[in-house]
């Protein structure tokens, strides 16, 4: 560890209690995606008043961005602003049920600490490019019914913050992204370096219209929309034998009914559905099977059906840790015994993230970290170790960005030069534009 790297760690250690207070304040005030006004103000205040940086605000509604330097390459540290609805969590906001059982406040602590260190004038003078700090909205996917309202109100067009920012051009001029998260797959080490593959997904909104009738006097005159759902779900259950294990297919559904009396045949049901898969092609193939199951069930009962497909997130492009990240983790291991390991290509994360969209456009330097107990998105999620949750991730992010940008940004340039984008900006825009009026099941966008 050279003197600059020691200075980075010392600055973050000297402000550890302030970082914890910053993170815990956000932890207790979680906000829904695209409404994170308070959280965005907290981040902007930190960047402006603690780091002396000029901020841009209101990016994709609530996003906040600041930078150290103006040269290229530009390496961006991403932190996510939103929480998740989990009303059972003890720190859930009573009025909304929102909580940070997702751990996004931990990312914001990493961003705040790294910004504090890298904005130090002596450290900033050694950077051969720009360090960008970008707090982004709405990583948690927006359901289709709410998305339709946001579109009608002109608030947002796309179901996640990073897709919206990509479409807005807010990542133009960014050459690489550093992303972090609380551990999402099992890991016994303090840090897991690199990007696991994650599943992509599509959203579906299925409206089934039957016919109401009295369940005792004239049940034969009704068309039970709920029975259509039952038949379709049974068909999908039997179709599971056609799903390949390696495709990691997951299907989640929520069935909503209008208010009706028990003695009335249910005439309208709405199904919110997500289908996930490891690859885009497997996702499209499964999507077709689901459509056939629901349309066939509706036909069997004589019900009307409308299926609308909505935008989800692309599968994450898996990537081993870059040299700068591994070097930074090694420095922390030597300094304080932190443990780390690289991602295994044999491990797949069946969850989804809009980092997947970002990974198709630019190199992503990712790590996950410990410091919590319980289950992500669960009521038992707790911060177990503030140093591991807030301080050490800030050090690793800052050290990795410093390593990328020192010596004329040699490692950042090599990372960018070796990257092969899965989609060009034009291809991504064409892919996302399909969902402006419903997805139409076109072939792979890649």
């Amino acid at each position: 560890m050279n003197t600059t790297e020691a200075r980075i760690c010392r600055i973050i250690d000297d402000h550890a209690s302030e970082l914890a207070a910053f993170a815990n304040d956000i932890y207790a005030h979680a906000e829904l995606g695209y409404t994170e006004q308070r959280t965005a103000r907290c981040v902007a205040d930190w960047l402006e008043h603690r780091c002396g940086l000029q901020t841009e605000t209101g990016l994709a509604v609530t996003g906040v961005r600041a930078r150290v330097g103006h040269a290229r390459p530009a390496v961006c540290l991403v932190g996510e602003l939103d929480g998740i609805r989990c009303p059972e969590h003890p720190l859930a906001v009573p009025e909304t049920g929102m909580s940070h059982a997702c751990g996004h406040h931990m990312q914001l602590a990493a961003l705040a600490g790294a910004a504090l260190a890298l904005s130090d004038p002596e450290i900033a003078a050694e950077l051969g490019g720009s360090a960008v700090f970008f707090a982004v909205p709405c990583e948690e996917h927006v359901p289709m019914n709410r998305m339709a309202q946001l579109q009608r109100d002109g608030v947002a067009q796309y179901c996640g913050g990073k897709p919206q920012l990509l479409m807005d051009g807010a990542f133009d001029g960014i050459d690489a992204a550093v992303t972090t998260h609380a551990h999402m797959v099992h890991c016994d080490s303090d840090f897991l370096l690199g990007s696991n593959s994650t599943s992509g997904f599509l959203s579906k909104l299925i409206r089934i219209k039957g016919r109401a009738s009295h369940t005792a006097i004239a049940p034969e005159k009704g068309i039970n929309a709920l029975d259509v759902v039952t038949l379709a779900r049974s068909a999908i259950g039997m179709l599971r034998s056609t799903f390949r294990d390696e495709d990691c297919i997951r299907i989640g559904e929520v069935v909503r009914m209008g208010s009706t009396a028990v003695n009335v045949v249910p005439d309208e049901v709405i199904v919110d559905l997500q289908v996930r898969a490891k690859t885009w092609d497997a996702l499209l193939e499964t999507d077709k099977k689901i459509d056939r199951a629901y349309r066939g069930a509706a036909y069997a009962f004589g019900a009307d059906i409308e299926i609308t497909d909505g935008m989800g997130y692309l599968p994450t492009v898996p990537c081993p840790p870059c040299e700068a990240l591994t070097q930074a983790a090694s420095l922390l291991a030597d300094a304080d015994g932190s443990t780390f390991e690289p991602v295994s290509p044999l491990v797949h994360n069946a969850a989804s993230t809009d980092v997947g969209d970002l990974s198709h456009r630019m190199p992503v330097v990712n790590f996950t970290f410990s410091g919590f107990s319980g289950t992500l998105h669960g009521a038992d999620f707790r911060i177990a170790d503030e140093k591991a949750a807030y301080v050490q991730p800030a050090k690793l992010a800052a050290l990795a960005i410093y390593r990328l940008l020192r010596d004329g940004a040699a490692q950042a340039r090599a990372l960018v030069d070796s990257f092969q984008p899965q989609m060009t900006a034009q291809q991504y825009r064409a892919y996302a534009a399909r969902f402006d009026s419903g997805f139409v099941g076109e072939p792979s966008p890649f």
Side-chain angles (χ1 to χ4, degrees), residues 155-321:
V155 174
Q157 184 69 26
Y158 299 100
C159 60
K162 296 178 196 67
Q164 183 70 54
L165 291 163
L166 284 165
M167 292 294 284
D168 290 348
F171 279 101
D172 294 353
I174 302 296
D175 298 292
V178 177
T179 61
T180 71
H181 204 283
H183 284 325
M184 298 181 71
V185 298
H186 177 76
C187 181
D188 292 323
S189 299
D190 296 317
F191 296 110
L192 183 64
L193 309 183
S195 295
N196 288 112
S197 61
T198 69
S199 291
F201 77 97
L202 290 172
S203 287
K204 303 179 75 65
L205 190 67
I206 304 171
R207 299 176 182 272
I208 300 164
K209 182 64 176 176
R211 185 166 59 239
S213 184
H214 197 289
T215 56
I217 298 174
E220 73 281 359
K221 295 182 179 180
I223 297 176
N224 191 318
L226 191 58
D227 283 348
V228 174
V229 175
T230 301
L231 182 59
R233 294 181 76 178
S234 296
I236 291 169
M238 287 181 275
L239 281 167
R240 290 182 191 276
S241 64
T242 72
F243 299 165
R244 301 191 312 164
D245 292 345
E246 59 265 36
D247 289 332
C248 301
I249 306 297
R250 299 286 190 274
I251 299 170
E253 297 166 292
V254 173
V255 179
R256 295 184 283 127
M257 296 176 57
S259 59
T260 185
V262 176
N263 62 349
V264 177
V265 173
D267 67 328
E268 186 171 14
V269 172
I270 296 174
V271 181
D272 294 291
L273 186 147
Q274 288 184 350
V275 53
R276 302 176 192 259
K278 187 176 181 179
T279 68
W280 181 262
D281 289 339
L283 186 59
L284 288 184
E285 183 62 28
T286 308
D287 184 66
K288 292 175 184 176
K289 293 177 180 180
I290 291 170
D291 281 358
R292 289 199 299 265
Y294 268 95
R295 293 191 187 281
Y299 177 78
F301 281 91
D304 293 325
I305 186 167
E306 176 185 300
I307 301 176
T308 304
D309 285 334
M311 189 178 186
Y313 297 154
L314 293 172
T316 297
V317 179
C319 185

Side-chain angles (χ1 to χ4, degrees), residues 41 66 68 90 142 156 174 182 188 211 213 245 300 310 324-325 355 378 386 436:
R41 285 196 301 271
V68 174
V142 179
I174 302 296
D188 292 323
R211 185 166 59 239
S213 184
D245 292 345
L325 183 61
V355 173
E386 289 188 347
D436 290 348

Side-chain angles (χ1 to χ4, degrees), residues 348-406:
H348 174 71
N349 180 2
S352 305
T353 169
D354 61 358
V355 173
D357 290 52
L358 202 60
S359 73
H360 283 72
R361 295 287 302 115
M362 65 182 62
V364 170
V365 177
N366 182 71
F367 67 88
T368 64
F369 53 90
S370 61
F372 69 97
S373 62
T375 309
L376 283 176
H377 292 195
D380 61 342
F381 179 90
R382 301 287 187 278
I383 298 300
D385 183 334
E386 289 188 347
K387 180 179 179 181
Y390 302 149
V391 178
Q392 296 300 92
K395 290 182 185 178
L396 182 56
L399 289 169
I401 294 171
Y402 170 72
R403 285 262 164 172
L404 285 166
L405 294 177
R406 73 175 190 174

Side-chain angles (χ1 to χ4, degrees), residues 314-332:
L314 293 172
T316 297
V317 179
C319 185
C322 69
E323 184 179 2
L325 183 61
T326 302
Q327 290 170 344
S330 297
L331 293 175
L332 288 181

